[in-house]
Amino acid sequence: MPTLPWTTPNPPTPGTRALVMASRFEVRSMRDVPRFFLKSLSAWGQVKKAPGAFGASLIAQPLKRTFYTLSAWESREALSTYAGAEPHRSIMTGLRSTMRTATFDFWDVPAEDLPITWSDARRRLRAKLAADEAAAGSPG
């Protein structure tokens, strides 16, 4: 399981808070795995230079067709700026058709709690996925 370890492009100021985003992506087929992985590396290069990025990590599980990201940001605006900038914007658009599922969770933490552990992030993603599935199955 290839993991890109937590990297800290912009160390947070002690006493501040960070917005954490965890994501889980599952691609539709094994044919989509190499492309998704290569595009992930491009986005990884971008996040390492992004203003307001406090840290990020990536886990790739190619045989399971699953990828996880974990990042911390100065603000929601910093995250939105990164997501809307190239190459990330084109990557999101270009890979949308290859996605089987995509799950996202966001929460705030004191900057001193960074880096977030993968066990915490995965626990939160499992809970979010279960809540989303329950909501989708409930009468509207």
Side-chain angles (χ1 to χ4, degrees), residues 6-136:
W6 187 265
T7 187
T8 305
N10 305 295
T13 303
T16 61
R17 296 197 61 80
L19 172 71
V20 176
M21 185 195 80
S23 63
R24 179 188 181 277
F25 302 99
E26 183 180 341
V27 296
R28 293 185 185 277
S29 74
M30 289 301 288
R31 283 188 320 237
D32 298 320
V33 168
R35 182 170 167 242
F36 189 94
F37 186 69
L38 290 173
K39 296 291 186 180
S40 296
L41 293 177
S42 179
W44 176 257
Q46 180 186 355
V47 79
K48 292 191 324 184
K49 300 173 196 160
F54 289 156
S57 181
L58 170 81
I59 293 178
Q61 296 179 315
L63 297 179
K64 293 182 178 182
R65 304 183 331 269
T66 305
F67 300 84
Y68 294 88
T69 70
L70 180 58
S71 58
W73 299 86
E74 175 181 272
S75 64
R76 189 165 290 272
E77 292 76 25
L79 173 56
S80 294
T81 298
Y82 161 76
E86 293 299 338
H88 191 271
R89 181 177 52 202
S90 293
I91 291 169
M92 285 190 315
T93 303
L95 291 176
R96 193 166 287 137
S97 66
T98 68
M99 291 295 105
R100 181 173 178 272
T101 62
T103 305
F104 301 89
D105 197 15
F106 303 86
W107 67 99
D108 289 327
V109 299
E112 292 79 13
D113 288 358
L114 298 177
I116 301 300
T117 66
W118 271 110
S119 60
D120 184 32
R122 288 175 128 177
R123 178 187 56 77
R124 287 173 176 273
L125 285 167
R126 282 191 300 274
K128 178 76 164 94
L129 181 60
D132 289 350
E133 288 173 348

